[in-house]
Amino acid sequence: MARLYFYAYFFLLISLTPLEAFPPQLIRSEWQSRSHYSITLTGIFRAAASFIEEYDLLNTTESDPNRRVSMYFGEDGSSLKTFLQTINKIVAFENEIQRDFASVAFYHVNAEQIITAHNYIRSLRRQIQTLASSDKPDIELIQEKLGYCLYTIQAFYSNTNWVELNGDTHYADFGQENVTLIDIADSTEKSCKSCGKDNSGIFNCTDNIITTKLTSGYKAGQDISKPTEPLGAIFGKCSHGTSDDSSRTDPATGGIYKGRVSMNSAPHHKWHHQAWEAAAKATHHFLMDKKVLHIKSRQEVTKNSLAFVIDLTGSMSGEIAGVKRATVKLVEESRNSIFVPEKYILVTFSDPENLTTAKETTDWNQMIDFLQALSVSGGGDCPEYALSGMLLAINMSNPGSQIIFCSDADAKDEDKHDDVVEGLKSKSLKTTFLLTNTCTARKRRDTHRQKRSTGYKIFEDIAAETGSQVLRTTTSEIETDVERVVKTSLPSSIVNVKWYLWKTSLSSTVKINVDSSITALIIQISGPTANSDVTLRDPTDSEVTFSTDGKTISLSFNDMTMSIQSPMAGNWTLIRNTMSSTWNLNVTAQSDIDFSVNLLETSDDGMAYQVYTNPVLGFNYTVAIDVQNLPANATIDRVLLLDNTWSEVNVLQLTNVTSEGVPRFSSALTIDEKVSGVQIEGTDASGNPIVRVTRFEIMPVGVRVKILPSTDDLKFNDQSMVTYEITNTGNVEASFKVDISDDKGYLLSSNSTDINLQAGETEVKTINLNGTQSGSTVKVQLVVSLWNSTEVLQTESRRYYVSDVQKLECKIVYQSPQCPDESLTTKTCDDYRWNGRAQISFYVKKPSQIVISNTEVEVEYENITNTNDSLNVNISGHCCIQSVQLRAYDDDGYIADCQFLFSNGTIQAVEPETTTEPTTITTSMEETTTDPYTTTTEENTPTEEWTTTTLEPMTTPTETESDNLETTTGLISDTTTVEESTTEPPITTITTTMTTTTTEEGTITTE
């Protein structure tokens, strides 16, 4: 439970072009470059250390955040492991934004979209706060929103010039409420000058920024393009400047990106480490903003209980052996841990109801006796008195504890549903219902049943109402599932050392490696019939004598357990004295050294992104091993991939890529066959072998499915769409079945669809939902299989929040045809005009700001105070401006966005012409001209009377600006004037005037 409270509540605080910000993960060939993984890891460790100090949870003078956090977890290795896995999950959500929204500038704080990014973070903070304040916070959804938020916060420091202006300090106001941002360069201001090149042709951009205001670079391929300057120009807007950014060759050449240390990849690489430190400080600052952390101390953990509720009717005969083995093993393993529960509880139920029994003990040895004595009997009809057993366990459990429920049948006593729900809620108890359907399926085929229950729905309803969970399992898997569930609820320092399927055809001896961190060794063998069937020898080759010096052996129903306290480091030898049948060997130990496995998908350019779905057959991946509490001078050298018999599938040599004090080792691999486990091998400081093993399922498949990420909530009582894409990554045509489900019944569309795809083909599909409960969260899940098969190939899920907040909406109601080809030069583009109209709808809060991405665009709209539910906004401009972002914000930072695209072409820079007479262009939406491109004809002229906007000329036509910039000077609310009239509605008029200044280095256009 320490782990649960620490990591869960801590996180209540709070076309692929991968080089948008810092690298998503560590680049193996460029270890000096810090990544979003290392920034997030550092920021979270610093925030956790601050909380531990603030709440006085650890008596230490240790100042290093990593050491402080590790000391807090102490012997609770499982909690530290899960803590790191949670950090990796948050980083995976960061990676999603970086990869899947690569073309949208504001997520990366590119194209001077600083105000939009600021408001986006504000709105995400509000969503996180709303989720965190719920009675049953959805931790996974909070982690997702947190990852989205942290990505943009961190990208601010790699992509803007903040660090060049302020060093490695963080910008505390960015993304916060009720603040005024510092000055931001407007769309008329040249922010960079062109960079020179060194002898190898690489841009040298040491001092290319010429503004003292906040700015960021433009990146080719994103939704806001860099303004085109005339051929030969020296000054212009800054580029992002990565190697995949073609805009870096346009004036101003080079760029300001500093997310890597490579000069070729990052023009401002010299500021990389300052940017990394500022981003880490900003992450720490954001996580500390709201103090909603509630960490349980280890002393509080020991006040918890652990209860088992087990069905002992005759139909459980197939499952009971696995349940007993798993529970006995876990109690045996935990007996020397400081995290032993205050008491154990065992409740059994059967049919009739008076056979329900309950026992409790504080003695782990007595609990093992209780469990080993379990036997099945009775029953007859399938439904059992399950809820009666639950009520007993609830009454006996300590508050905040865990109940493990195991059964194969429906509940006969469903009338106790309300009592069970009330009891679980009142004590804050969580239950895991482990259910097989052997009895249910068999009895449902019996047409003579006298009583018909609702099946497993009763357990699902209880779980939904109390924050518990239901796990469907099978007779063969129930042992593994019980073990996994209990381990996640009972913090411990138990690690897996060896799994082995001991066949009669194999050697009669097995080596067991014990390193110097192991304080207890537990050897479990399924198969022996007598203690004499096995001999154990220590590293001195002496035979172990049990029942002395902390060495014990027990045998029950062919299950043998050996326990050795304070074992000698070195190689132990286990010897079979009989080879009559196959045995299962499972070796665990008490140690604070453990590891977790992460699978990273490698993109074509070498960038790696965290993945949680099945890998694609034949694709390139990286396996990353995070090792907890690895001592100094110890190392991990290689990793073994194991099949389901724990035999080697592949052996990989590891490279040390340790990041921010957390040891990480990695290796590239291509996955061609199924993997069931991962084993690491290395040596401790004394040269003793370190061996650990963990379950890790990898099944390479020929299909990829992805629910596309979204930062939006589902609308309350209204239809919302979720989009997913499915790709046939195989070499032949295939038909797939996609089963769609949700845990709230919000689906409006079909719950199953068949999709036929050619090799390499991708299809995009939508799912319709209607969230009928405001404030609820819903999990949408996709399960993909071949059309004629039941084998699951891919599973993808995502969680959503149902919000009744009425947000702004923007819809384009008209725009001109595309700019013609002859307009796409710097000489001619300002001779061609376009116009458009958008409608901004609102329900509760009116827009507080309307922002246009370019202040040269003429904007007209009515007085907002005189509108009730919508606002029409007219825009007009010339073809030097090829795209326009129109955005409206409300007071909470929520964004409504319309993007106008007037050309898909590229404006060609040409030599400027010298002119002496300026040209004045005046546009009215009511005018009719003879220009065949003019679109303000009678057919599309707005019916309302609108005041026209006049754009004053440049001194020379060659100095035409086409900046796409959202700045404080581009806020319509700040620059509009409203004139009251008794005959006409108030009209907003904007006039922008440009002048030019000539210097020896070139021509700069300023406001």
Side-chain angles (χ1 to χ4, degrees), residues 169-336:
T169 60
H170 71 282
Y171 189 11
D173 288 346
F174 185 59
Q176 298 294 316
E177 300 289 342
N178 303 316
V179 297
T180 300
L181 298 182
I182 63 174
D183 287 344
I184 301 170
D186 65 32
S187 64
T188 66
E189 183 175 345
K190 310 292 187 183
S191 50
C192 273
K193 66 180 180 180
S194 290
C195 300
K197 290 186 177 181
D198 63 15
N199 294 333
S200 61
I202 297 176
F203 285 111
N204 185 355
C205 297
T206 301
D207 57 354
N208 58 324
I209 299 177
I210 60 174
T211 181
T212 58
K213 299 177 182 178
L214 201 57
T215 187
S216 65
Y218 291 72
K219 190 174 190 299
Q222 292 187 333
D223 57 345
I224 298 182
S225 302
K226 180 180 178 180
T228 303
E229 300 294 335
L231 198 65
I234 299 174
F235 300 100
K237 285 298 181 184
C238 303
S239 284
H240 186 63
T242 52
S243 57
D244 60 341
D245 176 18
S246 60
S247 80
R248 68 178 183 164
T249 61
D250 300 328
T253 60
I256 63 172
Y257 169 70
K258 59 197 72 66
R260 295 175 62 178
V261 296
S262 166
M263 183 175 180
N264 187 42
S265 301
H268 276 210
H269 63 282
K270 293 181 179 179
W271 285 273
H272 172 76
H273 290 290
Q274 287 179 295
W276 172 86
E277 179 60 34
K281 289 176 179 176
T283 301
H284 180 192
H285 174 77
F286 181 84
L287 294 172
M288 294 295 292
D289 187 48
K290 290 293 180 182
K291 298 178 176 61
V292 297
L293 174 65
H294 301 286
I295 304 176
K296 268 198 173 183
S297 68
R298 288 191 293 269
Q299 289 74 24
E300 291 176 291
V301 172
T302 59
K303 296 177 182 178
N304 289 328
S305 59
L306 179 62
F308 296 95
V309 181
I310 300 175
D311 181 355
L312 289 186
T313 51
S315 60
M316 281 285 289
S317 59
E319 289 90 344
I320 196 64
V323 172
K324 288 169 61 175
R325 281 194 298 269
T327 52
V328 168
K329 173 186 173 184
L330 290 163
V331 174
E332 173 72 33
E333 286 178 345
S334 67
R335 67 188 181 94
N336 294 300

Side-chain angles (χ1 to χ4, degrees), residues 3 6-7 11 37 40-42 44-45 66 69-70 73 77-91 594-598 610 612 625-629 659-664:
R3 173 195 58 75
F6 187 86
Y7 88 88
F11 293 117
Y37 164 75
T40 304
L41 186 72
T42 300
I44 290 178
F45 263 84
N66 292 50
V69 173
S70 295
F73 283 111
S78 64
S79 293
L80 178 57
K81 179 177 179 178
T82 305
F83 182 67
L84 293 174
Q85 289 173 330
T86 302
I87 295 174
N88 280 313
K89 188 177 293 186
I90 292 171
V91 174
D594 202 0
F595 76 104
S596 55
V597 186
N598 304 285
Q610 187 105 17
Y612 288 97
I625 307 294
D626 291 331
V627 184
Q628 296 90 53
N629 298 312
S659 182
E660 316 316 320
V662 176
R664 170 170 277 200

Side-chain angles (χ1 to χ4, degrees), residues 28-96:
R28 297 176 67 204
S29 60
E30 195 179 294
W31 61 268
Q32 302 98 326
S33 289
R34 299 298 210 275
S35 64
H36 283 284
Y37 164 75
S38 66
I39 294 168
T40 304
L41 186 72
T42 300
I44 290 178
F45 263 84
R46 288 179 182 178
S50 296
F51 272 99
I52 291 169
E53 180 177 16
E54 183 173 340
Y55 287 97
D56 197 24
L57 299 173
L58 190 67
N59 184 18
T60 181
T61 58
E62 177 61 57
S63 60
D64 179 74
N66 292 50
R67 285 292 307 144
R68 182 181 289 271
V69 173
S70 295
M71 290 170 65
Y72 169 78
F73 283 111
E75 294 185 29
D76 185 5
S78 64
S79 293
L80 178 57
K81 179 177 179 178
T82 305
F83 182 67
L84 293 174
Q85 289 173 330
T86 302
I87 295 174
N88 280 313
K89 188 177 293 186
I90 292 171
V91 174
F93 289 124
E94 295 177 32
N95 292 172
E96 277 191 342

Side-chain angles (χ1 to χ4, degrees), residues 533-544:
D533 289 350
V534 182
T535 301
L536 180 65
R537 307 188 77 87
D538 67 21
T540 67
D541 202 32
S542 301
E543 182 175 342
V544 175

Side-chain angles (χ1 to χ4, degrees), residues 661-764:
V662 176
R664 170 170 277 200
F665 303 84
S666 70
S667 178
L669 77 158
T670 300
I671 304 171
D672 297 314
E673 52 189 316
K674 184 176 180 180
V675 172
S676 296
V678 173
Q679 179 174 308
I680 60 170
E681 297 180 352
T683 55
D684 63 18
S686 302
N688 298 304
I690 297 175
V691 177
R692 298 290 186 272
V693 64
T694 191
R695 296 181 187 276
F696 190 75
E697 296 283 343
I698 304 175
M699 186 175 75
V701 296
V703 62
R704 186 197 302 274
V705 66
K706 181 174 182 61
I707 300 176
L708 300 183
S710 172
T711 58
D712 293 329
D713 297 326
L714 301 185
K715 297 178 182 178
F716 170 57
N717 258 349
D718 197 359
Q719 181 170 308
S720 299
M721 285 197 309
V722 171
T723 304
Y724 72 93
E725 62 181 23
I726 180 171
T727 303
N728 178 4
T729 59
N731 298 321
V732 297
E733 179 184 0
S735 294
F736 301 99
K737 180 181 180 182
V738 181
D739 291 317
I740 307 166
S741 63
D742 77 289
D743 59 358
K744 291 291 192 300
Y746 292 164
L747 276 178
L748 296 177
S749 48
S750 171
N751 59 4
S752 180
T753 183
D754 297 331
I755 302 174
N756 186 77
L757 297 172
Q758 300 294 322
E761 184 182 1
T762 296
E763 186 165 334
V764 178

Side-chain angles (χ1 to χ4, degrees), residues 78 103 213 304 316 374 444 487 532 609 700 703 741 799 863 949:
S78 64
S103 63
K213 299 177 182 178
N304 289 328
M316 281 285 289
L374 292 176
R444 280 179 178 166
K487 279 193 172 182
S532 59
Y609 298 87
V703 62
S741 63
R799 307 190 73 85
N863 189 326
T949 300

